[in-house]
């Protein structure tokens, strides 16, 4: 039994709640201070990069001046990391990629420099780069998670499934539901051959449910596999059942190892009717169905969904995905910049 420190009195009534509140405020202040420091650092890097750009353009300075600047800054500020030649090159590219200071202050300035390096080296399209930055802020993605989402083209695939949500769901739920579905879904993390059968895929998805949820996206919660529905004494089994926390509705996912056929929607629609009748709470929204198939004809899927009364979507899945190479900048890689920041590479000699 621990003894009370000498000289301390028993806390008065209400002290514990007050202490908890103070701790919360202190932690909040620490977090705000960290964010403020990060914003100032990112803004400083942007200003340095902008100055390099402007002086090179106005005075014709060559690339060698960056080597000289790196050495001079490291001598002047030996306690600060980040003034390597490679990082100065990143600052220049950062300012070139984001010429608008307001975007730096309000958007990418909220992300750590490492996140900005990922955006800078992995994406060339400004709108797409900003979209990934905004999602990283909104969802609190780590740098590794951000990199994974860029490599798997998460945002480019979002909202691409063929659905009838616009006609079957009210606004704004229809927009959110459409953006919650992708096409195609990538299941290459399962390690299965392209000839895998439905039950094999289904079992592997449950075994790797963490990766599956990451691929599905924010808001999905796993409910069960082969969920039993007793309809008039007959047993039916749903492949995969989820609940979407933002849409506040159940999501039924059915797997088809072959090509999409219109009759697949009849079975999926039956499951939606049964879930709405037996599972969903009165406060839940209409159950949504997603049919995942190995391949689908877009026109056939659109026709099949047109006269379907229930909110359904059709998307492909890929067990073996071969993505096109990402567009890269010609700047040093992140591995190279990290090695320089750790002091493992030699600084080039300054221009004479």
């Amino acid at each position: 039994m621990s003894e009370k420190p000498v000289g301390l009195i028993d806390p008065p009534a209400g002290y514990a709640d007050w202490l908890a509140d103070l701790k919360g405020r202190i932690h909040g202040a620490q977090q705000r201070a960290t964010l403020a420091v990060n914003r100032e650092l990112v803004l400083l890097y942007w200003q340095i990069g902008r100055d390099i750009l402007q002086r090179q353009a106005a005075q014709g300075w060559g690339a060698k001046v960056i080597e000289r600047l790196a050495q001079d800054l490291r001598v002047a500020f030996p306690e600060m990391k980040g003034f390597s030649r490679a990082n100065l090159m990143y600052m220049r590219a950062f300012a070139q990629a984001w010429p608008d200071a307001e975007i730096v202050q309000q958007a990418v300035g909220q992300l750590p420099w490492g996140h900005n390096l990922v955006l800078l080296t992995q994406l060339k399209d400004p709108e797409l780069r900003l979209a990934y930055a905004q999602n990283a802020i909104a969802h609190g993605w780590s740098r590794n998670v951000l990199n994974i989402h860029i490599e798997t083209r998460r945002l480019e695939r979002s909202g691409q499934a063929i659905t009838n949500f616009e006609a079957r769901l009210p606004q704004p739920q229809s927009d959110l539901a459409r953006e919650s579905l992708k096409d195609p879904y990538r299941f290459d993390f399962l390690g299965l051959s392209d000839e895998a059968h439905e039950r094999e895929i289904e079992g592997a998805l449950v075994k790797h449910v963490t990766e599956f949820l990451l691929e599905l996206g924010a808001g999905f919660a796993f409910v069960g596999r082969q969920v039993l529905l007793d309809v008039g004494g007959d047993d039916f089994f749903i492949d995969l059942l989820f609940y979407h926390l933002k849409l506040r509705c159940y999501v039924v996912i059915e797997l088809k190892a072959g090509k999409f056929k219109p009759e697949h929607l009849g079975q999926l629609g039956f499951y939606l009717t049964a879930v709405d009748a037996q599972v969903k709470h009165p406060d839940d929204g209409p159950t949504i169905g997603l049919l995942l198939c190995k391949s689908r004809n877009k026109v056939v899927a659109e026709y099949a969904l047109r006269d379907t009364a229930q909110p359904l979507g059709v998307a492909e899945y890929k067990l073996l995905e071969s993505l096109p190479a990402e567009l890269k900048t010609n700047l040093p890689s992140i591995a190279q910049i990290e090695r320089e920041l750790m002091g493992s590479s030699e600084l080039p000699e300054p221009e004479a």
Side-chain angles (χ1 to χ4, degrees), residues 97-98 119 122-132 327:
W98 304 109
L119 295 169
Q122 297 291 340
L123 299 165
K124 280 192 172 181
D125 181 80
E127 292 185 3
L128 190 58
R129 195 189 304 124
L130 181 58
Y132 273 101
L327 294 175

Side-chain angles (χ1 to χ4, degrees), residues 3-51:
E3 296 183 359
K4 184 174 64 177
V6 177
L8 291 184
I9 63 172
D10 292 328
Y15 176 84
D17 291 339
W18 178 56
L19 178 60
D21 178 64
L22 283 180
K23 288 179 179 179
R25 280 188 272 169
I26 292 170
H27 286 312
Q30 289 175 328
Q31 291 173 346
R32 289 191 297 273
T34 300
L35 290 174
V37 170
N38 177 76
R39 281 194 297 268
E40 288 299 318
L41 180 65
V42 172
L43 183 58
L44 172 65
Y45 284 176
W46 179 83
Q47 291 169 341
I48 293 174
R50 179 197 57 187
D51 287 354

Side-chain angles (χ1 to χ4, degrees), residues 139 141 145 148-149 152 154 157-158 180-182 185-187 189-190 202 204-224 240-245 251 253 292:
H139 301 297
W141 292 344
V145 170
I148 290 171
H149 287 325
T152 59
R154 175 193 176 107
R157 292 183 291 126
S158 295
S180 297
L181 302 186
K182 302 185 180 75
Y185 283 86
R186 289 188 43 168
F187 296 159
F189 57 86
L190 299 179
E202 179 187 311
L205 287 174
V206 175
K207 184 178 179 181
H208 297 83
V209 69
T210 300
E211 292 89 345
F212 186 25
L213 287 170
L214 183 64
E215 171 62 10
L216 287 176
F220 282 89
F222 180 62
V223 177
L240 296 162
L241 184 62
F242 292 83
Y243 189 85
H244 199 285
L245 301 176
V251 180
I253 296 181
L292 289 176

Side-chain angles (χ1 to χ4, degrees), residues 23 27 71 94 98 116 124 127 131 150 171 180 206 236 243 248 268 280 293:
K23 288 179 179 179
H27 286 312
Q71 179 170 340
F94 183 61
W98 304 109
N116 277 297
K124 280 192 172 181
E127 292 185 3
I150 292 174
Q171 289 283 2
S180 297
V206 175
F236 298 89
Y243 189 85
R248 298 290 181 183
L268 181 57
K280 94 176 190 71
C293 48

Side-chain angles (χ1 to χ4, degrees), residues 254-319:
E254 282 293 298
L255 288 165
K256 296 298 177 184
K259 187 175 181 179
F260 168 75
K261 297 179 180 179
E263 53 263 35
H264 293 158
L265 295 182
Q267 179 187 23
L268 181 57
F270 172 78
Y271 290 152
L272 263 63
T273 298
V275 170
D276 280 340
Q278 299 183 13
V279 182
K280 94 176 190 71
H281 187 274
D283 294 334
D284 289 335
T287 302
I288 291 172
L290 172 61
L291 184 73
L292 289 176
C293 48
K294 187 175 180 181
S295 64
R296 54 107 181 99
N297 181 306
K298 183 178 180 180
V299 177
V300 172
E302 289 175 344
Y303 279 18
L305 288 169
R306 187 174 298 175
D307 294 326
T308 302
Q310 294 159 304
L312 301 175
V314 178
E316 293 180 334
Y317 66 82
K318 301 292 183 183
L319 290 174

Side-chain angles (χ1 to χ4, degrees), residues 141-246:
W141 292 344
S142 68
R143 190 178 71 176
N144 287 338
V145 170
L146 171 62
N147 199 49
I148 290 171
H149 287 325
I150 292 174
E151 289 180 351
T152 59
R153 299 177 180 267
R154 175 193 176 107
L155 296 188
E156 293 93 318
R157 292 183 291 126
S158 295
Q160 297 305 306
I162 303 171
T163 74
N164 60 2
F165 293 161
E166 186 175 358
R168 300 294 177 256
L169 294 173
Q171 289 283 2
Q173 187 184 25
S174 61
D175 288 341
L176 179 57
R178 187 179 66 253
E179 288 301 315
S180 297
L181 302 186
K182 302 185 180 75
D183 187 38
Y185 283 86
R186 289 188 43 168
F187 296 159
D188 48 346
F189 57 86
L190 299 179
L192 299 177
S193 72
D194 207 33
E195 302 304 318
H197 298 292
E198 291 164 14
R199 290 295 170 262
E200 187 180 0
I201 298 170
E202 179 187 311
L205 287 174
V206 175
K207 184 178 179 181
H208 297 83
V209 69
T210 300
E211 292 89 345
F212 186 25
L213 287 170
L214 183 64
E215 171 62 10
L216 287 176
F220 282 89
F222 180 62
V223 177
R225 170 197 179 193
Q226 288 296 301
V227 177
L228 172 64
L229 294 173
D230 182 338
V231 180
D234 290 340
D235 291 342
F236 298 89
F237 296 89
I238 295 174
D239 284 350
L240 296 162
L241 184 62
F242 292 83
Y243 189 85
H244 199 285
L245 301 176
K246 293 183 179 179

